[in-house]
Amino acid sequence: MAKRKDVRNGVILECTSCVRNGVNKESRGISRYITQKNRHNTPSRLELKKFCRYCHKHTIHGEIKK
C-alpha cells in the first residue's frame, strides 16, 4: 500500500521580537506556540499575532524549523 502524505502538519511559532532583541536577564526564555497548518492552503511560512508572556504584549509569532 502507498503511504499517504499528511496535509496537516505540526508547526512551532516563535516570538519574533524576543528573538530580535535577544534574551535579556529579566526574561526567562522565548515564547513558543505549537499549532497545525494545512500545507496546501498555506505553503509559505505562517505568522500569527499571539500573546508573548515574556514581552507582556501581543507580538508576531513566526514559524520556525523543527
Side-chain angles (χ1 to χ4, degrees):
M1 297 183 90
K3 279 188 172 180
R4 70 177 193 125
K5 293 185 178 181
D6 290 333
V7 176
R8 298 193 72 78
N9 59 345
V11 294
I12 300 173
L13 302 175
E14 186 176 78
C15 179
T16 55
S17 65
C18 287
V19 174
R20 248 187 266 130
N21 297 335
V23 180
N24 57 12
K25 295 176 184 175
E26 297 170 359
S27 72
R28 295 184 210 104
I30 297 172
S31 174
R32 290 191 174 153
Y33 285 93
I34 299 173
T35 188
Q36 292 182 342
K37 77 169 188 176
N38 189 324
R39 284 189 293 141
H40 294 302
N41 294 341
T42 53
S44 60
R45 291 200 177 252
L46 188 64
E47 285 191 343
L48 296 174
K49 199 165 188 180
K50 304 286 258 178
F51 182 77
C52 177
R53 61 184 181 197
Y54 303 109
C55 298
H56 302 291
K57 58 185 176 182
H58 285 84
T59 58
I60 295 176
H61 285 63
E63 183 181 337
I64 61 169
K65 289 185 179 179
K66 290 184 182 178

